[in-house]
Amino acid sequence: MVRAIVSQLLTAGVLLLGETTAYNQRRYIDNSSGTPEVIIPSASSYNGLNLVPQMGWNNWNAFHCDVNESLLLSTAQQMVDLGLRDLGYNYIVLDDCWSIGRNSSGYLVENPVKFPSGIKAIADQIHDLGMKFGMYSSAGVFTCGRYPGSLGFEQQDADLWASWDVDYLKYDNCFNQGQSGTPKLSFDRYDVMSKALNATGRDIVYSMCNWGNDDPYDWAYTIANSGRMSGDIYDSFNRPDDRCPCTEAIGCAWPGFHCSVMNILNKMPAITSRTMSGYFNDMDMLEIGNGGQSDSEYVVHFTMWAMNSSPLLIGTNIGTLSPANLAIYSNPAIIALNQDTSAGAAVRKWRYLVDPDETGQGEISLWTRTMANGDTVIALLNAANTTMTMNATMNDIFFDQRTAGAYRAPPELSQTWDVYDLWANRMSEEEAGTIINGTTAEISGNSTTRYNATATSYSKGIKDNSTALLGVQVGSIAPSGTFSAEIARHSVGVYRLRAQPTEGARNKDEL
């Protein structure tokens, strides 16, 4: 019966799910009635998982191979203590360099010096904290750190991770034996692990990390839950690097690495349509806290990753977070954009190259995104070298609506929109410091700076008009009007636009 229901929905185009949906159809079924409980139109999750982007922590950016059991467990506890888990950062992901090889039966063996309790025991302790545990391998004969990869051992490795109660796999692209160069070659190689994970019967989020090689945004959404769309990030705002040779996502023959925040961001506009519920374009891990950028540049980094529905994986040492950096990671108004059930990416409406800085780079741009409840979010990004007064006209903000071919003007252009600044309630360094030193009070229900998404989901908080998620109203835009804001050098202004009720709507509410 269940299979028949889903099959009919697929045929009708109600669900856009991959062929392997049957493995996890239970996620769409109400256990009590046996009928569909929640079906999200246009959800593309091939396994029913990751309908909004994953959030958590990964050790690689800050620690590389210098990882052990103590680091994983202490980080998990710190994320609970700092309120990060309850903001949605619930995955602890162990990256490369964790194994010592394969045993005589061909199974991977964890390093007993780094992980004396064993991976299963570590996963259990992380689960006891209300968090989830992820691991790493590569679709090659070796990992990038030259440890054994999973190419040719996919089912054996997937079964092992399932037996350890792993919830997440980051799957890299190193030493792939030449099985790349066309989309079909890469698809087939990554699909083997996709099927292997599903065959375990355990819910495991599949995070492909093939660096945008062979255009995964055009094929990976039927076999994975996220896919890297660029070469590796490094902790720079906009400095070009020859090791990251591409400035566009489409047709990039060699993605490379050492890609700056702005390099990666400017690859997103061409592939926004390939971000969807269940599959997200992964812009790589967050660098906030690693020291290579200014505070305002880190705000740009966090904001634009969130607004484009990239996975949000913290990539720094949680134990040394400064109050300023904790305040960035903890802005619930920005995280709410990332976790919005619309599951879309921002659209860049315009971009102008202006006023270059010492790296030779300089630009300003307008980005917009429509949210699930009908709100619109705009980002005025100033990556130029001086403070700019930036403008967003209603015609630009609602460009897609007014050019959609409808026989009448879109209603958005005739409405008045209230404007809310999503960084205006950023937590002060003093408040963040009390969280770090453990002297803070519990989160109050009317807090404007803190939020507990474990207790109240972001979608419900938005519906309830939580100030922590809405920010501060800074003005309104009249029909056919313009919104202006002064944006500092290497900064971004982010605003949620909410339509004022029409007279008809107000009368209906009164009735």
Side-chain angles (χ1 to χ4, degrees), residues 109 270 287 311 314 320 355 386 495 500:
V109 178
E287 294 280 6
I314 297 172
T320 61
D355 194 18
T386 55
Y495 308 93
Q500 291 183 359

Side-chain angles (χ1 to χ4, degrees), residues 318-374:
I318 299 294
T320 61
L321 270 180
S322 70
N325 291 327
L326 177 61
I328 294 174
Y329 280 125
S330 300
N331 185 342
I334 298 300
I335 298 173
L337 308 182
N338 183 260
Q339 297 294 289
D340 193 83
T341 56
S342 60
V347 176
R348 190 176 68 193
K349 293 299 175 60
W350 49 254
R351 176 195 188 203
Y352 299 106
L353 303 181
V354 297
D355 194 18
D357 62 16
E358 67 277 5
T359 70
Q361 308 296 302
E363 62 183 85
I364 57 174
S365 55
L366 169 67
W367 302 69
T368 72
R369 178 176 164 193
T370 302
M371 312 311 287
N373 70 338

